[in-house]
């Protein structure tokens, strides 16, 4: 069975996966770029064109960052990751944050209560707009993924909902030593989560802490 | 000027310094001993008689745990750390959790809205019951400490209040990879705390993450 994986998802020390006041200009709200700053210099993010023209770092941050794409056949993301606003689509002109050639290169399931026709982009990315509960969305995503793995791409609510329903097999969380104070909490309502996972952590010279969660065998 | 320090204060991954439902039998509420488990095998805690008859570990957990006592002239603790219940004292028979020879061996300021006469124990510990705001309690504690440092001993609320008023110079927080889901949050209302501190982190083979906060010079 293919695995359901989370990669490169950052939270603040006080557990916020996104700040308050998300807008078109600040997709992370008042957090700004602080939650993803650690990733920008890595080779993986450089190659995604997120940053500059450097070859990119290859240390521990890259070691984790680089795992996000291997064997992934589909991504599931929340509406909030795809677009800056919730509610009915005013029209279908919004094509995501990533330009005409998004970095996914697989089908992407966008969870929304307002479905619209699939949107085929360049480079192999097609957005499918699906109104479904996590479990059913996952079944749809698995059909799109073939025998490859499913990545849960965020945002915060989406990951939390998939965790609450015990649908995630492995998860890489990056704890950034800042206190956001407000926004959306990843860890809300997940008491005892550690019983379902083997958790490992390691610190990086960049200042962040990489945490990995692997589902315990037999649970 | 003497420093104000926090040592060996544990929080869960979701930021709780204590669980819900504190009682005489479970001072950490539903968290049980999970928040302090990392410390029990260390030489420092063995020598405090918290555990057993082993000499105690001397690895990274001990390296941090052992710093709690050096150059400390006084501890400030909240009422909740001293006694299992809030409110007026039914009588003065409660003498703390630690027996007749508590491990502090210095004056201890207990913050309470219900002062009572000082309580002199064996081994140099005297509890002083003080009804004061953090800043004034700190001034009193400094007089008791001579030129030595002040330790803020917890609990969660006490540390958070001293942080909020910017009274802490250095702080050692231990993040335990469990999700408590409920209890008291350390990080509440401390947005931007990282701007006042240099933060470092390191993981331990015991599974916990040691975080140190040093006040930035010039702030």
């Amino acid at each position: 069975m293919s695995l359901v994986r989370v990669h490169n998802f950052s939270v603040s020390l006080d557990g916020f996966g996104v700040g308050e006041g998300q807008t078109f200009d600040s997709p992370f709200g008042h957090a700004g770029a602080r939650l993803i700053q650690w990733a920008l210099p890595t080779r993986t993010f450089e190659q995604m064109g997120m940053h500059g023209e450097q070859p990119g770092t290859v240390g521990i941050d890259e070691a984790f960052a680089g795992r996000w794409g291997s064997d992934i056949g589909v991504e599931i993301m929340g509406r909030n990751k795809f677009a800056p606003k919730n509610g009915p689509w005013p029209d279908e002109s919004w094509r995501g944050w990533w330009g005409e050639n998004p970095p996914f290169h697989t089908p992407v399931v966008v969870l929304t209560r307002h479905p619209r026709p699939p949107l085929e982009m360049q480079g192999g990315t097609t957005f499918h707009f699906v109104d479904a509960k996590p479990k059913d969305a996952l079944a749809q995503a698995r059909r799109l993924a073939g025998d490859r793995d499913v990545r849960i791409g965020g945002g915060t609510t989406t990951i939390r909902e998939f965790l609450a329903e015990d649908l995630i097999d492995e998860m890489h969380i990056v704890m950034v030593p800042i206190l956001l104070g407000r926004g959306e909490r990843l860890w809300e309502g997940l008491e005892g989560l550690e019983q379902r996972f083997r958790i490992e952590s390691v610190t990086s010279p960049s200042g962040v802490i990489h945490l990995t969660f692997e589902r315990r065998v037999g649970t």
Side-chain angles (χ1 to χ4, degrees), chain A:
Chain A
M1 181 79 134
S2 66
L3 297 172
V4 180
R5 296 157 42 189
V6 172
H7 290 278
N8 301 337
F9 192 77
S10 303
V11 297
S12 62
L13 197 55
D14 49 351
F16 295 98
V18 66
E20 212 173 61
Q22 261 186 299
T23 64
F24 175 78
D25 290 319
S26 45
F28 288 89
H30 82 291
R34 290 177 290 165
L35 287 173
I36 56 162
Q37 201 69 52
W38 69 271
L40 301 182
T42 62
R43 181 162 300 174
T44 294
F45 279 71
E46 286 281 353
Q47 287 178 353
M48 273 194 268
M50 303 278 287
H51 194 44
E53 301 296 317
Q54 306 299 316
T57 66
V58 294
I60 185 171
D61 292 335
E62 169 60 18
F64 282 103
R67 296 191 64 247
W68 83 290
S70 66
D71 294 318
I72 292 290
V74 68
E75 166 158 326
I76 299 175
M77 65 170 64
R79 161 73 181 262
N80 258 12
K81 178 168 171 181
F82 179 76
K85 273 194 180 173
N86 274 315
W89 306 98
D91 53 51
E92 288 170 13
S93 61
W94 180 260
R95 298 166 69 81
W97 302 93
W98 304 275
E100 284 306 301
N101 184 3
F104 307 106
H105 311 299
T106 66
V108 173
V109 169
V110 179
L111 301 173
T112 171
R113 274 185 288 271
H114 305 280
R116 53 185 252 196
L119 177 58
E120 197 175 334
M121 310 295 286
Q122 292 167 26
T125 300
T126 302
F127 295 107
H128 300 262
F129 300 88
V130 169
D131 180 10
K133 304 254 183 231
K135 205 175 159 182
D136 301 322
L138 179 56
Q140 285 198 44
R142 277 204 155 109
R143 282 194 291 274
L144 293 166
D147 55 1
R148 302 171 83 194
D149 291 346
V150 179
R151 184 177 55 235
I152 309 297
T156 314
T157 308
T158 302
I159 295 178
R160 192 175 58 233
E161 286 173 356
F162 276 74
L163 280 173
E165 300 204 18
D166 197 15
L167 297 173
I168 289 178
D169 297 300
E170 64 172 77
M171 177 166 73
H172 166 230
I173 298 290
V174 183
M175 192 167 275
V176 180
I178 58 173
L179 277 87
L180 288 176
R182 54 211 161 92
E184 214 174 313
R185 289 186 201 274
L186 177 62
W187 302 124
E188 203 70 47
L190 295 174
E191 179 180 344
L193 184 73
E194 74 280 1
Q195 293 163 29
R196 309 199 315 245
F197 291 94
R198 204 180 78 80
I199 304 175
E200 204 178 292
S201 62
V202 64
T203 55
S204 162
S206 69
V208 303
I209 303 162
H210 295 277
L211 291 144
T212 47
F213 295 67
E214 302 162 36
R215 182 191 286 277
R216 288 179 193 276
V217 176
T219 63

